[in-house]
Amino acid sequence: MLSLDLLIFVSLIYVAFLFCVAFWAERAAGLGRGGWMRTPLIYTLSLSIYCTAWTFYGAVGYAARSGLEFLTIYLGPTAVLIGWWLILRRLVRIARAERITSIADLISSRFGKSAFLGGLVTFMAVVGTTPYIALQLQSVTLSVSVFAKDAQSIVSISNIALWVAAGLAVFTIIFGTRNLDVNERHSGVVMAIAVEAIVKLFALLAVGTFVVWGLADGVGDVLARIDASPISKWQVSTGRWLGLTFLSAAAFLCLPRMFQVMVVENSEESHLPTAGWAFPLYLLLMSLFVIPIAVVGLDILPAGSNPDLFVLTLPLSAEQNGLAMLAFLGGFSSATSMVIVAAIALSTMVSNHIVTPIWLRARGRGATISGDVRSVVLISRRLSIAGILGLGYLYYQVSGGGAALASIGLISFAGVAQILPAMLGGIFWRGATKVGAVLGLICGFVIWSFTMFLPSFGPEVLISQNTIDHGLWGINWLRPTALFGIQGLDPVLHAVLWSILLNSFAFIAGSIFSKASPLERVQAVQFVSAFDSGSVARGWQRGAADAEDLLIMAQRIMGAAQAQTLFRNMAQKQGKKGYLPDSTPQFLETLERGLAGSVGAATAHAMLGQMAGGASVTVEDLMAVADETAQIMEYSSQLEAQSGELTTTARQLRDANEKLMNLSTQKDAFLTQISHELRTPMTSIRAFSEILQDPDLKSGDRPKYAMIIQEETQRLTRLLDDLLDLSVLENGQVALDLQSINLCDILNRAVASANVDDVINIRRNTSREDVVFLTDPGRLTQVFINLMSNAAKYCIVPAAELRINVSATSGVLIVDFIDNGSGIDKANQDIIFEKFARVSDHSKAGGAGLGLSICREIINNLGGQVAYLPGQHGAAFRISLPRS
Ligand code: ADP
């Protein structure tokens, strides 16, 4: 038996060796001698981080439990690579053109450089990868425990996972964050991974060879054992096969670490065709001996041995310590390479999409010094690496490390596969929008969490047994394993089916029913038409374009002055006088940039293409132009709407201002009027009181003057009373004393009070006045008196008379006051109702001009109307009152 200390010692030597490889590769790359490292072979080997400890140990366990089904995990990636030109090539091309650094960056960038999406995908990736890292820690711990069964060691087994996590964090921090490369490439790490890829393949082949020819009697014997074992009797379920193959393909594309090695670290698109056959071959070799090892393990080893560890326990059972050590190193390599790349990829995402944006926002505008940002990015990456490994360790501790390797791996796969719809939609469908992507991702993630992730901790940890049995909140169709009442489905298939289906549905529906922002549309065109020759082969040949034509066009677009300056500068640069440079490619490029500022890049390119003749205008060009035009139109329609709004507001302001001015003029006029009206009586009161004080005054005159003073005082009081009355009426504060009363009574009372019989003859038809209605008799009498005394005052003709006509319909009561005087001419008919309005010679009558205003206010308060009635051969006023 191998001692545990020896095992740890060999592992440390191996890690030191990897350190050297990484270090040396990094240096070679730094010195520019790393060309040979960027070969299709290294690229293919780096893809092998797909084969983690799960594959190395778990595949055998998987086969021992479910027969050939483990192959599905290889079929997905094989399909993706064989069809490399369909998706992979697109991803690589887009990532290169857009300088994509991670899968979160890809999604965020495609959907309008959305910071939120970047953060969301990062969060999902971290959550989805955590179980997988835990899985690696678990497998290393398991494999160590095999050796530690009866050995004593300086290190306790329970701490192995912690030590491994810490060690990997240190390695990753050293090689993953040595420098900040714009392309996020890591030569050292890739090289170390390639070495590990060879070690694990070699180890598995060695164990396989030993098992087939050392333990069994060659191929024939193994085949016979397979026939005899339960593995051959496993039923293949088509649904599960299809589902798992799809899942592994999706995960292969979406796993952050796979995206890192496959897309980000890819230096040449030309590596893809080689990887297209070489990687499936690698997978084939990795799976070649899985079944034989499983079958022989089941045969030879005691019942109840963990099939996940057959790769180790078979050599050990035959005392093949060297081989067991090699197998251990193979598994160790599988685990470490996965964890390292995953941690690099995730830390890049965490720092780029979560930490740095938050830090920049917190810093405000201050973060302009590049060194400043750099150190923040580096620190945040290092901390994220430690954090990610910490999370993995935590999951390992919480989930108890008990579940079979394969099932944990599938949880992770399904989690990251949620990114697939947004990713594929993003690179193939121009109509995909940010809203759709956000909805899809959240929907898929929530369903995955509920159906797979939360239950994976076991009942009562994060999700109660009650919820598992009877559904969320007791709703039966919200059971994690039988969503929407679909029962009897395989749990993995169930979770994948629902999460991906609803995810895609939400993504598509969200995209259809939402509008893309201009930036999103631009990115959509960039991503979806990554392969259109038009957008790649830009640049101009010395064309047939005539400089003068170009100037004419440029003037139209950029404005004369700007265009002329540009042309003269270019001509000067070429050493020519005047405004017409030669149409050299440089000039055309400058011009295109200048034009792009006004009409958008695509339009500028297409226009110049037409005129310079060098490049033909492609359909894609036209589509891009249409896109730009749509944006410009949208922008201008927004402007139009805004300017419309502004005009309306301006008009409203002008109106309000006019009203204010009017009011202010009216107020001034009113005050002038009042002071004038008050001053006249006051002046005479003062004058006569002075006269009264004169001792020489004849005593006979005294009563006369005192009388005048009294009259003036009365006039003043009347005026003030009227003003007060009017102000009360105008403010609507008047309290009406409504009664049911006969019109005839009111008129009788008014005639009596007006007491004008000796001046004017009042003619009435009392039979028609017999109308009972609801009104304020006092107020109405006041109005009638006013109209009667006005007639008496202003109707100055020999036989003056005032007719009072009453006519009543069911709803309205009309009372007309018509005299036979000179009437009021047309221009003044409206004015007389205004305050202080007097149109006849008032020296005779002496009213202040408030009477009719008060009448109008009273009638309004009573719910009726008073108006001048023209065409009656005299002054005529009509009062209409409601009868109820
Ligand atoms: P005043 O206190 O001057 O009577 P009013 O508001 O009652 O004020 O009347 C306003 C003006 O309308 C009067 O000054 C007068 O010129 C004109 N007016 C009112 N009634 C008659 C009428 N029956 N005939 C001619 N003019 C009239």
PDB file of all heavy atoms in Angstrom, residues 786-787 790-791 793-795 819 822-824 832-834 837-842 845-853 875 877, ligand 1:
ATOM      1  N   ASN A 786     -82.942  98.142  -8.945  1.00  0.00           N
ATOM      2  CA  ASN A 786     -81.841  98.739  -9.685  1.00  0.00           C
ATOM      3  C   ASN A 786     -82.246  99.045 -11.123  1.00  0.00           C
ATOM      4  O   ASN A 786     -82.002 100.138 -11.642  1.00  0.00           O
ATOM      5  CB  ASN A 786     -80.646  97.787  -9.656  1.00  0.00           C
ATOM      6  CG  ASN A 786     -79.346  98.530  -9.832  1.00  0.00           C
ATOM      7  OD1 ASN A 786     -79.242  99.358 -10.732  1.00  0.00           O
ATOM      8  ND2 ASN A 786     -78.375  98.259  -8.975  1.00  0.00           N
ATOM      9  N   LEU A 787     -82.867  98.042 -11.779  1.00  0.00           N
ATOM     10  CA  LEU A 787     -83.240  98.244 -13.176  1.00  0.00           C
ATOM     11  C   LEU A 787     -84.295  99.362 -13.297  1.00  0.00           C
ATOM     12  O   LEU A 787     -84.264 100.176 -14.217  1.00  0.00           O
ATOM     13  CB  LEU A 787     -83.776  96.930 -13.759  1.00  0.00           C
ATOM     14  CG  LEU A 787     -82.694  95.847 -13.951  1.00  0.00           C
ATOM     15  CD1 LEU A 787     -83.319  94.547 -14.439  1.00  0.00           C
ATOM     16  CD2 LEU A 787     -81.629  96.320 -14.938  1.00  0.00           C
ATOM     17  N   ASN A 790     -82.591 102.719 -12.683  1.00  0.00           N
ATOM     18  CA  ASN A 790     -81.786 103.055 -13.870  1.00  0.00           C
ATOM     19  C   ASN A 790     -82.685 103.650 -14.955  1.00  0.00           C
ATOM     20  O   ASN A 790     -82.364 104.671 -15.555  1.00  0.00           O
ATOM     21  CB  ASN A 790     -81.092 101.813 -14.426  1.00  0.00           C
ATOM     22  CG  ASN A 790     -79.694 101.645 -13.823  1.00  0.00           C
ATOM     23  OD1 ASN A 790     -79.281 102.470 -12.995  1.00  0.00           O
ATOM     24  ND2 ASN A 790     -78.998 100.597 -14.231  1.00  0.00           N
ATOM     25  N   ALA A 791     -83.838 102.980 -15.199  1.00  0.00           N
ATOM     26  CA  ALA A 791     -84.758 103.478 -16.223  1.00  0.00           C
ATOM     27  C   ALA A 791     -85.221 104.891 -15.863  1.00  0.00           C
ATOM     28  O   ALA A 791     -85.255 105.800 -16.705  1.00  0.00           O
ATOM     29  CB  ALA A 791     -85.949 102.535 -16.354  1.00  0.00           C
ATOM     30  N   LYS A 793     -83.615 107.024 -14.097  1.00  0.00           N
ATOM     31  CA  LYS A 793     -82.504 107.963 -14.205  1.00  0.00           C
ATOM     32  C   LYS A 793     -82.163 108.285 -15.650  1.00  0.00           C
ATOM     33  O   LYS A 793     -81.901 109.425 -16.005  1.00  0.00           O
ATOM     34  CB  LYS A 793     -81.246 107.361 -13.534  1.00  0.00           C
ATOM     35  CG  LYS A 793     -81.200 107.554 -12.031  1.00  0.00           C
ATOM     36  CD  LYS A 793     -79.807 107.213 -11.486  1.00  0.00           C
ATOM     37  CE  LYS A 793     -79.594 105.697 -11.427  1.00  0.00           C
ATOM     38  NZ  LYS A 793     -78.302 105.328 -10.838  1.00  0.00           N
ATOM     39  N   TYR A 794     -82.114 107.250 -16.501  1.00  0.00           N
ATOM     40  CA  TYR A 794     -81.520 107.453 -17.820  1.00  0.00           C
ATOM     41  C   TYR A 794     -82.527 107.588 -18.953  1.00  0.00           C
ATOM     42  O   TYR A 794     -82.151 107.944 -20.061  1.00  0.00           O
ATOM     43  CB  TYR A 794     -80.531 106.308 -18.132  1.00  0.00           C
ATOM     44  CG  TYR A 794     -79.435 106.197 -17.103  1.00  0.00           C
ATOM     45  CD1 TYR A 794     -79.337 105.099 -16.264  1.00  0.00           C
ATOM     46  CD2 TYR A 794     -78.487 107.235 -16.964  1.00  0.00           C
ATOM     47  CE1 TYR A 794     -78.343 104.995 -15.318  1.00  0.00           C
ATOM     48  CE2 TYR A 794     -77.488 107.138 -16.005  1.00  0.00           C
ATOM     49  CZ  TYR A 794     -77.418 106.011 -15.192  1.00  0.00           C
ATOM     50  OH  TYR A 794     -76.440 105.940 -14.249  1.00  0.00           O
ATOM     51  N   CYS A 795     -83.785 107.256 -18.702  1.00  0.00           N
ATOM     52  CA  CYS A 795     -84.764 107.364 -19.776  1.00  0.00           C
ATOM     53  C   CYS A 795     -85.390 108.762 -19.684  1.00  0.00           C
ATOM     54  O   CYS A 795     -86.365 108.973 -18.972  1.00  0.00           O
ATOM     55  CB  CYS A 795     -85.828 106.266 -19.599  1.00  0.00           C
ATOM     56  SG  CYS A 795     -87.169 106.392 -20.772  1.00  0.00           S
ATOM     57  N   ASP A 819     -87.551 100.151 -21.618  1.00  0.00           N
ATOM     58  CA  ASP A 819     -88.035 101.531 -21.523  1.00  0.00           C
ATOM     59  C   ASP A 819     -88.061 102.168 -22.907  1.00  0.00           C
ATOM     60  O   ASP A 819     -87.642 101.545 -23.887  1.00  0.00           O
ATOM     61  CB  ASP A 819     -87.208 102.345 -20.518  1.00  0.00           C
ATOM     62  CG  ASP A 819     -85.758 102.503 -20.927  1.00  0.00           C
ATOM     63  OD1 ASP A 819     -85.499 102.543 -22.147  1.00  0.00           O
ATOM     64  OD2 ASP A 819     -84.866 102.564 -20.036  1.00  0.00           O
ATOM     65  N   SER A 822     -83.377 106.507 -24.941  1.00  0.00           N
ATOM     66  CA  SER A 822     -82.489 106.488 -26.118  1.00  0.00           C
ATOM     67  C   SER A 822     -81.755 105.152 -26.259  1.00  0.00           C
ATOM     68  O   SER A 822     -81.082 104.901 -27.243  1.00  0.00           O
ATOM     69  CB  SER A 822     -81.488 107.636 -26.004  1.00  0.00           C
ATOM     70  OG  SER A 822     -80.878 107.558 -24.728  1.00  0.00           O
ATOM     71  N   GLY A 823     -81.828 104.322 -25.207  1.00  0.00           N
ATOM     72  CA  GLY A 823     -81.177 103.027 -25.298  1.00  0.00           C
ATOM     73  C   GLY A 823     -79.658 103.123 -25.165  1.00  0.00           C
ATOM     74  O   GLY A 823     -79.118 104.183 -24.841  1.00  0.00           O
ATOM     75  N   ILE A 824     -78.987 102.044 -25.432  1.00  0.00           N
ATOM     76  CA  ILE A 824     -77.515 102.017 -25.320  1.00  0.00           C
ATOM     77  C   ILE A 824     -76.971 101.542 -26.653  1.00  0.00           C
ATOM     78  O   ILE A 824     -77.416 100.524 -27.191  1.00  0.00           O
ATOM     79  CB  ILE A 824     -77.079 101.061 -24.204  1.00  0.00           C
ATOM     80  CG1 ILE A 824     -77.567 101.621 -22.852  1.00  0.00           C
ATOM     81  CG2 ILE A 824     -75.573 100.910 -24.177  1.00  0.00           C
ATOM     82  CD1 ILE A 824     -77.409 100.673 -21.710  1.00  0.00           C
ATOM     83  N   ILE A 832     -71.484  98.005 -20.182  1.00  0.00           N
ATOM     84  CA  ILE A 832     -72.245  98.534 -19.050  1.00  0.00           C
ATOM     85  C   ILE A 832     -72.313  97.591 -17.864  1.00  0.00           C
ATOM     86  O   ILE A 832     -72.520  98.016 -16.739  1.00  0.00           O
ATOM     87  CB  ILE A 832     -73.699  98.904 -19.457  1.00  0.00           C
ATOM     88  CG1 ILE A 832     -74.301  97.741 -20.258  1.00  0.00           C
ATOM     89  CG2 ILE A 832     -73.748 100.205 -20.230  1.00  0.00           C
ATOM     90  CD1 ILE A 832     -75.777  97.932 -20.489  1.00  0.00           C
ATOM     91  N   PHE A 833     -72.058  96.284 -18.100  1.00  0.00           N
ATOM     92  CA  PHE A 833     -72.111  95.346 -16.968  1.00  0.00           C
ATOM     93  C   PHE A 833     -70.809  95.315 -16.184  1.00  0.00           C
ATOM     94  O   PHE A 833     -70.715  94.669 -15.158  1.00  0.00           O
ATOM     95  CB  PHE A 833     -72.452  93.936 -17.455  1.00  0.00           C
ATOM     96  CG  PHE A 833     -73.873  93.822 -17.961  1.00  0.00           C
ATOM     97  CD1 PHE A 833     -74.163  93.839 -19.313  1.00  0.00           C
ATOM     98  CD2 PHE A 833     -74.926  93.723 -17.038  1.00  0.00           C
ATOM     99  CE1 PHE A 833     -75.464  93.737 -19.758  1.00  0.00           C
ATOM    100  CE2 PHE A 833     -76.231  93.626 -17.500  1.00  0.00           C
ATOM    101  CZ  PHE A 833     -76.516  93.639 -18.861  1.00  0.00           C
ATOM    102  N   GLU A 834     -69.780  96.001 -16.718  1.00  0.00           N
ATOM    103  CA  GLU A 834     -68.493  95.992 -15.999  1.00  0.00           C
ATOM    104  C   GLU A 834     -68.539  96.996 -14.860  1.00  0.00           C
ATOM    105  O   GLU A 834     -69.343  97.929 -14.844  1.00  0.00           O
ATOM    106  CB  GLU A 834     -67.352  96.358 -16.968  1.00  0.00           C
ATOM    107  CG  GLU A 834     -67.170  95.372 -18.118  1.00  0.00           C
ATOM    108  CD  GLU A 834     -66.940  93.952 -17.621  1.00  0.00           C
ATOM    109  OE1 GLU A 834     -66.303  93.777 -16.561  1.00  0.00           O
ATOM    110  OE2 GLU A 834     -67.423  93.007 -18.293  1.00  0.00           O
ATOM    111  N   ALA A 837     -68.620 101.066 -15.023  1.00  0.00           N
ATOM    112  CA  ALA A 837     -68.891 101.461 -16.402  1.00  0.00           C
ATOM    113  C   ALA A 837     -70.084 102.426 -16.430  1.00  0.00           C
ATOM    114  O   ALA A 837     -71.160 102.120 -15.903  1.00  0.00           O
ATOM    115  CB  ALA A 837     -69.193 100.218 -17.236  1.00  0.00           C
ATOM    116  N   ARG A 838     -69.840 103.593 -17.005  1.00  0.00           N
ATOM    117  CA  ARG A 838     -70.937 104.567 -17.173  1.00  0.00           C
ATOM    118  C   ARG A 838     -70.838 105.116 -18.577  1.00  0.00           C
ATOM    119  O   ARG A 838     -69.759 105.559 -18.983  1.00  0.00           O
ATOM    120  CB  ARG A 838     -70.801 105.696 -16.159  1.00  0.00           C
ATOM    121  CG  ARG A 838     -71.229 105.266 -14.772  1.00  0.00           C
ATOM    122  CD  ARG A 838     -70.858 106.275 -13.754  1.00  0.00           C
ATOM    123  NE  ARG A 838     -69.417 106.452 -13.682  1.00  0.00           N
ATOM    124  CZ  ARG A 838     -68.810 107.032 -12.651  1.00  0.00           C
ATOM    125  NH1 ARG A 838     -69.523 107.510 -11.651  1.00  0.00           N
ATOM    126  NH2 ARG A 838     -67.522 107.175 -12.641  1.00  0.00           N
ATOM    127  N   VAL A 839     -71.915 105.022 -19.311  1.00  0.00           N
ATOM    128  CA  VAL A 839     -71.807 105.452 -20.704  1.00  0.00           C
ATOM    129  C   VAL A 839     -72.566 106.760 -20.985  1.00  0.00           C
ATOM    130  O   VAL A 839     -72.294 107.430 -21.956  1.00  0.00           O
ATOM    131  CB  VAL A 839     -72.256 104.354 -21.682  1.00  0.00           C
ATOM    132  CG1 VAL A 839     -71.316 103.172 -21.614  1.00  0.00           C
ATOM    133  CG2 VAL A 839     -73.671 103.912 -21.409  1.00  0.00           C
ATOM    134  N   SER A 840     -73.516 107.103 -20.129  1.00  0.00           N
ATOM    135  CA  SER A 840     -74.203 108.388 -20.375  1.00  0.00           C
ATOM    136  C   SER A 840     -73.574 109.464 -19.485  1.00  0.00           C
ATOM    137  O   SER A 840     -72.677 109.174 -18.685  1.00  0.00           O
ATOM    138  CB  SER A 840     -75.689 108.240 -20.091  1.00  0.00           C
ATOM    139  OG  SER A 840     -75.863 107.612 -18.837  1.00  0.00           O
ATOM    140  N   ASP A 841     -74.040 110.644 -19.626  1.00  0.00           N
ATOM    141  CA  ASP A 841     -73.500 111.754 -18.847  1.00  0.00           C
ATOM    142  C   ASP A 841     -73.884 111.558 -17.388  1.00  0.00           C
ATOM    143  O   ASP A 841     -75.017 111.803 -16.975  1.00  0.00           O
ATOM    144  CB  ASP A 841     -74.104 113.060 -19.407  1.00  0.00           C
ATOM    145  CG  ASP A 841     -73.641 114.247 -18.591  1.00  0.00           C
ATOM    146  OD1 ASP A 841     -72.702 114.050 -17.769  1.00  0.00           O
ATOM    147  OD2 ASP A 841     -74.224 115.324 -18.768  1.00  0.00           O
ATOM    148  N   HIS A 842     -72.921 111.133 -16.585  1.00  0.00           N
ATOM    149  CA  HIS A 842     -73.317 110.702 -15.253  1.00  0.00           C
ATOM    150  C   HIS A 842     -73.387 111.852 -14.261  1.00  0.00           C
ATOM    151  O   HIS A 842     -73.780 111.662 -13.119  1.00  0.00           O
ATOM    152  CB  HIS A 842     -72.398 109.604 -14.747  1.00  0.00           C
ATOM    153  CG  HIS A 842     -71.023 110.097 -14.415  1.00  0.00           C
ATOM    154  ND1 HIS A 842     -70.082 110.270 -15.379  1.00  0.00           N
ATOM    155  CD2 HIS A 842     -70.468 110.449 -13.244  1.00  0.00           C
ATOM    156  CE1 HIS A 842     -68.983 110.695 -14.807  1.00  0.00           C
ATOM    157  NE2 HIS A 842     -69.191 110.825 -13.515  1.00  0.00           N
ATOM    158  N   ALA A 845     -76.917 111.786 -13.245  1.00  0.00           N
ATOM    159  CA  ALA A 845     -77.447 110.663 -12.489  1.00  0.00           C
ATOM    160  C   ALA A 845     -76.629 110.354 -11.245  1.00  0.00           C
ATOM    161  O   ALA A 845     -77.179 110.007 -10.199  1.00  0.00           O
ATOM    162  CB  ALA A 845     -77.507 109.433 -13.376  1.00  0.00           C
ATOM    163  N   GLY A 846     -75.313 110.475 -11.407  1.00  0.00           N
ATOM    164  CA  GLY A 846     -74.459 110.353 -10.235  1.00  0.00           C
ATOM    165  C   GLY A 846     -74.205 108.946  -9.744  1.00  0.00           C
ATOM    166  O   GLY A 846     -73.650 108.775  -8.677  1.00  0.00           O
ATOM    167  N   GLY A 847     -74.599 107.920 -10.463  1.00  0.00           N
ATOM    168  CA  GLY A 847     -74.283 106.550 -10.040  1.00  0.00           C
ATOM    169  C   GLY A 847     -72.790 106.276 -10.197  1.00  0.00           C
ATOM    170  O   GLY A 847     -72.116 106.907 -10.989  1.00  0.00           O
ATOM    171  N   ALA A 848     -72.275 105.294  -9.433  1.00  0.00           N
ATOM    172  CA  ALA A 848     -70.838 104.970  -9.521  1.00  0.00           C
ATOM    173  C   ALA A 848     -70.569 103.948 -10.610  1.00  0.00           C
ATOM    174  O   ALA A 848     -69.433 103.567 -10.848  1.00  0.00           O
ATOM    175  CB  ALA A 848     -70.349 104.448  -8.184  1.00  0.00           C
ATOM    176  N   GLY A 849     -71.602 103.452 -11.258  1.00  0.00           N
ATOM    177  CA  GLY A 849     -71.375 102.468 -12.318  1.00  0.00           C
ATOM    178  C   GLY A 849     -71.240 101.059 -11.767  1.00  0.00           C
ATOM    179  O   GLY A 849     -70.688 100.180 -12.427  1.00  0.00           O
ATOM    180  N   LEU A 850     -71.729 100.801 -10.552  1.00  0.00           N
ATOM    181  CA  LEU A 850     -71.618  99.457  -9.978  1.00  0.00           C
ATOM    182  C   LEU A 850     -72.939  98.701 -10.040  1.00  0.00           C
ATOM    183  O   LEU A 850     -72.965  97.482  -9.891  1.00  0.00           O
ATOM    184  CB  LEU A 850     -71.166  99.542  -8.519  1.00  0.00           C
ATOM    185  CG  LEU A 850     -69.723 100.015  -8.302  1.00  0.00           C
ATOM    186  CD1 LEU A 850     -69.433 100.163  -6.809  1.00  0.00           C
ATOM    187  CD2 LEU A 850     -68.751  99.024  -8.912  1.00  0.00           C
ATOM    188  N   GLY A 851     -74.023  99.415 -10.255  1.00  0.00           N
ATOM    189  CA  GLY A 851     -75.357  98.815 -10.187  1.00  0.00           C
ATOM    190  C   GLY A 851     -75.502  97.582 -11.060  1.00  0.00           C
ATOM    191  O   GLY A 851     -75.859  96.498 -10.575  1.00  0.00           O
ATOM    192  N   LEU A 852     -75.239  97.711 -12.354  1.00  0.00           N
ATOM    193  CA  LEU A 852     -75.425  96.574 -13.269  1.00  0.00           C
ATOM    194  C   LEU A 852     -74.469  95.426 -12.959  1.00  0.00           C
ATOM    195  O   LEU A 852     -74.822  94.257 -13.132  1.00  0.00           O
ATOM    196  CB  LEU A 852     -75.288  97.033 -14.719  1.00  0.00           C
ATOM    197  CG  LEU A 852     -76.502  97.813 -15.261  1.00  0.00           C
ATOM    198  CD1 LEU A 852     -76.260  98.256 -16.700  1.00  0.00           C
ATOM    199  CD2 LEU A 852     -77.760  96.949 -15.197  1.00  0.00           C
ATOM    200  N   SER A 853     -73.241  95.776 -12.487  1.00  0.00           N
ATOM    201  CA  SER A 853     -72.309  94.692 -12.128  1.00  0.00           C
ATOM    202  C   SER A 853     -72.906  93.863 -11.012  1.00  0.00           C
ATOM    203  O   SER A 853     -72.865  92.626 -11.043  1.00  0.00           O
ATOM    204  CB  SER A 853     -70.977  95.238 -11.636  1.00  0.00           C
ATOM    205  OG  SER A 853     -70.553  96.277 -12.436  1.00  0.00           O
ATOM    206  N   ALA A 875     -83.822 101.268 -23.977  1.00  0.00           N
ATOM    207  CA  ALA A 875     -82.949 100.333 -23.256  1.00  0.00           C
ATOM    208  C   ALA A 875     -83.781  99.135 -22.816  1.00  0.00           C
ATOM    209  O   ALA A 875     -84.901  99.301 -22.357  1.00  0.00           O
ATOM    210  CB  ALA A 875     -82.335 101.035 -22.046  1.00  0.00           C
ATOM    211  N   PHE A 877     -83.464  95.214 -20.823  1.00  0.00           N
ATOM    212  CA  PHE A 877     -82.654  94.207 -20.121  1.00  0.00           C
ATOM    213  C   PHE A 877     -83.463  92.951 -19.939  1.00  0.00           C
ATOM    214  O   PHE A 877     -84.635  93.017 -19.579  1.00  0.00           O
ATOM    215  CB  PHE A 877     -82.202  94.748 -18.763  1.00  0.00           C
ATOM    216  CG  PHE A 877     -81.250  95.912 -18.876  1.00  0.00           C
ATOM    217  CD1 PHE A 877     -81.727  97.225 -18.982  1.00  0.00           C
ATOM    218  CD2 PHE A 877     -79.878  95.699 -18.927  1.00  0.00           C
ATOM    219  CE1 PHE A 877     -80.864  98.284 -19.104  1.00  0.00           C
ATOM    220  CE2 PHE A 877     -79.011  96.772 -19.052  1.00  0.00           C
ATOM    221  CZ  PHE A 877     -79.487  98.067 -19.153  1.00  0.00           C
TER     222      PHE A 877
HETATM  223  P1  ADP B   1     -74.945 103.641 -12.387  1.00  0.00           P
HETATM  224  O1  ADP B   1     -74.618 103.509 -11.007  1.00  0.00           O
HETATM  225  O2  ADP B   1     -74.160 104.627 -13.144  1.00  0.00           O
HETATM  226  O3  ADP B   1     -76.404 103.657 -12.675  1.00  0.00           O
HETATM  227  P2  ADP B   1     -75.147 101.058 -13.656  1.00  0.00           P
HETATM  228  O4  ADP B   1     -74.178  99.923 -13.649  1.00  0.00           O
HETATM  229  O5  ADP B   1     -76.465 100.781 -13.038  1.00  0.00           O
HETATM  230  O6  ADP B   1     -74.427 102.308 -12.997  1.00  0.00           O
HETATM  231  O7  ADP B   1     -75.367 101.493 -15.147  1.00  0.00           O
HETATM  232  C1  ADP B   1     -74.249 101.623 -15.988  1.00  0.00           C
HETATM  233  C2  ADP B   1     -74.510 102.572 -17.082  1.00  0.00           C
HETATM  234  O8  ADP B   1     -75.421 102.015 -17.992  1.00  0.00           O
HETATM  235  C3  ADP B   1     -75.134 103.815 -16.656  1.00  0.00           C
HETATM  236  O9  ADP B   1     -74.182 104.775 -16.256  1.00  0.00           O
HETATM  237  C4  ADP B   1     -75.889 104.263 -17.861  1.00  0.00           C
HETATM  238  O10 ADP B   1     -75.024 105.017 -18.688  1.00  0.00           O
HETATM  239  C5  ADP B   1     -76.209 103.013 -18.602  1.00  0.00           C
HETATM  240  N1  ADP B   1     -77.646 102.656 -18.389  1.00  0.00           N
HETATM  241  C6  ADP B   1     -78.133 101.819 -17.449  1.00  0.00           C
HETATM  242  N2  ADP B   1     -79.468 101.687 -17.586  1.00  0.00           N
HETATM  243  C7  ADP B   1     -79.827 102.464 -18.618  1.00  0.00           C
HETATM  244  C8  ADP B   1     -81.061 102.757 -19.251  1.00  0.00           C
HETATM  245  N3  ADP B   1     -82.228 102.233 -18.813  1.00  0.00           N
HETATM  246  N4  ADP B   1     -81.076 103.625 -20.310  1.00  0.00           N
HETATM  247  C9  ADP B   1     -79.927 104.183 -20.739  1.00  0.00           C
HETATM  248  N5  ADP B   1     -78.725 103.927 -20.181  1.00  0.00           N
HETATM  249  C10 ADP B   1     -78.680 103.073 -19.122  1.00  0.00           C
END
